[in-house]
Amino acid sequence: MALDPDTGRVRALVGGFDFNHDQFNHVTDARRQPGSTIKPFLVSAAFESGVMPDTWVDDAPLPPLPGEPADWHPQDDDGQTEGMITVRQALVESRNLVAIRLLQHVGLAAARDWIGRFGFDMSRQPDDLTLALGSGSVTPMELALGYAVLANGGHRVTPVLIDRITDARGRVLFQAPPPAPLTEANRVVPARNVFLVDSLLADVTRRGTAAAAQQALQRSDLYGKTGTTNDGVDAWFAGFAPGAVAVAWMGYDQPASLGPGASGATLALPIWIDAMREMLQGVPVQPPIDLSPPPGIVAAGDDWRYTEWADSGLLALDDPTPDAPAAAASAAASSASAPPAAPAAWASPATTALQAPPSPPASAPARSARNASAAPAAAAASAVRAAPAAR
């Protein structure tokens, strides 16, 4: 399905294969697990608690977590971990363990409250760490409206399925009211928060799990996120471009695996690309958002930060669990690119403490988080352990 992110007017809606065969509308009524398409909203919440795109988080196995099943061992599809990695690169690669650590840092209550701002029915989302992995349920329409907030600068819109109805003589029987203007009255997320999230989503379509989008459409103004649930049961791509936000989903009515290798990138993204190719015909490519950051955003090294955290904030998350230092140290040792650890007391996710960062090592190599794949050291490379997580 696709809609205009500024007005909520629905531009396309395909609810099934054949209405004569099945009248069930999958766009408005089918509730499925969103998988990793939920991660941008979690990252948005993290940005309000001191985490920034260049914050380091430990992509390492999780220690046993209180309240979680002993046999719960979340991991990524490749079964690999990367040690210390920036939030930007983690979303580009859709790293599950980092997403869980971010949720632990923000806190379940605060994260649920923030994600609800995007219009999601939080009664259908889990109240545990699997929230970070998209284990709740959403409809494609609900997900599109959430991404519309990211597409229009932070405003909720109401979907409009029917613009007008006319009779055989052309007389207007019904006319939908004009859309509400995008004002501070319907703003739900700060513009600077949306800017940071969008800058990450642009990297996803440029060099991440959805790099095929920019390659196929030959334009840089594409933003989005892939999503795949366990065993390839649901495949998603949700994203936007100038004038359109669209969601593609593939799955069976009765949940079952779509087959070996099934993923949002291989199944849903090609559908999204084909639809966007038609909708974007004649639409000029918009300049990169990097050229016009909103108030409250400053360049910090090779990335962006909130103004008040330009020289402070969290350069890395500290892991408060007893077993985490050893696990994190092991992960760091296995990754030659991992930044050195700072004292464990530097930043505590339990209190969201914001401290002045330690001085970076003189030998730390430079990197570009916005315009190149993230290499592990930067001006902010003196980092601590990541908070506990799981995906």
Side-chain angles (χ1 to χ4, degrees):
M1 75 146 302
L3 54 81
D4 185 317
D6 294 332
T7 66
R9 261 45 178 184
V10 173
R11 298 187 57 178
L13 191 155
V14 181
F17 279 110
D18 186 343
F19 186 78
N20 293 318
H21 173 70
D22 185 359
Q23 292 78 47
F24 184 74
N25 189 332
H26 294 77
V27 168
T28 58
D29 299 326
R31 290 199 161 273
R32 307 297 289 247
Q33 291 186 335
S36 292
T37 59
I38 203 73
K39 288 177 181 174
F41 308 104
L42 173 60
V43 170
S44 172
F47 288 159
E48 297 304 304
S49 61
V51 171
M52 290 285 101
D54 60 352
T55 298
W56 294 92
V57 185
D58 200 357
D59 179 38
L62 293 170
L65 299 171
E68 298 293 341
D71 60 350
W72 189 55
H73 303 293
Q75 60 181 4
D76 285 286
D77 290 342
D78 58 9
Q80 304 298 310
T81 57
E82 298 190 8
M84 299 301 284
I85 187 174
T86 64
V87 170
R88 177 180 293 277
Q89 189 64 16
L91 190 67
V92 166
E93 298 181 18
S94 196
R95 307 304 295 180
N96 291 336
L97 297 173
V98 170
I100 296 174
R101 284 183 160 89
L102 289 178
L103 177 55
Q104 288 183 308
H105 168 75
V106 175
L108 272 169
R112 287 173 57 83
D113 179 70
W114 190 266
I115 292 172
R117 290 172 176 241
F118 293 88
F120 295 104
D121 181 354
M122 297 310 295
S123 70
R124 296 180 179 271
Q125 309 308 317
D127 193 15
D128 56 37
L129 293 179
T130 65
L131 173 66
L133 310 181
S135 67
S137 68
V138 301
T139 66
M141 173 74 81
E142 190 177 7
L143 193 60
L145 291 171
Y147 274 80
V149 176
L150 298 174
N152 65 28
H155 306 267
R156 286 270 293 275
V157 294
T158 301
V160 178
L161 291 171
I162 300 174
D163 183 64
R164 68 179 179 275
I165 300 173
T166 60
D167 64 13
R169 297 181 179 180
R171 291 178 299 185
V172 177
L173 304 179
F174 168 81
Q175 177 70 57
L182 302 182
T183 66
E184 293 306 306
N186 51 31
R187 174 177 294 284
V188 293
V189 181
R192 66 178 188 169
N193 182 291
V194 171
F195 172 85
L196 290 183
V197 176
D198 289 358
S199 76
L200 271 62
L201 294 179
D203 268 359
V204 173
T205 65
R206 184 173 65 83
R207 58 184 180 85
T209 57
Q214 290 198 26
Q215 293 170 4
L217 297 177
Q218 290 296 294
R219 52 190 302 155
S220 58
D221 53 352
L222 306 175
Y223 310 82
K225 184 70 188 71
T226 52
T228 310
T229 60
N230 285 349
D231 300 321
V233 171
D234 297 283
W236 296 87
F237 186 77
F240 53 92
V245 56
V247 169
W249 166 80
M250 183 177 288
Y252 291 108
D253 281 347
Q254 299 302 318
S257 175
L258 292 164
S263 71
T266 58
L267 297 178
L269 181 57
I271 300 171
W272 190 91
I273 290 172
D274 286 346
M276 277 295 182
R277 183 177 285 113
E278 297 299 319
M279 286 188 282
L280 293 176
Q281 284 193 17
V283 178
V285 176
Q286 300 297 306
I289 61 172
D290 284 12
L291 299 180
S292 55
I297 291 288
V298 294
D302 293 313
D303 217 310
W304 300 102
R305 280 183 164 249
Y306 284 179
T307 302
E308 65 269 30
W309 294 333
D311 298 315
S312 61
L314 293 173
L315 291 188
L317 296 185
D318 181 39
D319 195 336
T321 59
D323 296 26
S330 174
S334 67
S335 173
S337 60
W346 175 51
S348 170
T351 59
T352 317
L354 299 184
Q355 307 270 350
S359 300
S363 60
R367 69 177 178 87
S368 173
R370 284 174 287 179
N371 300 313
S373 60
S382 290
V384 292
R385 306 286 177 218
R391 167 190 164 158

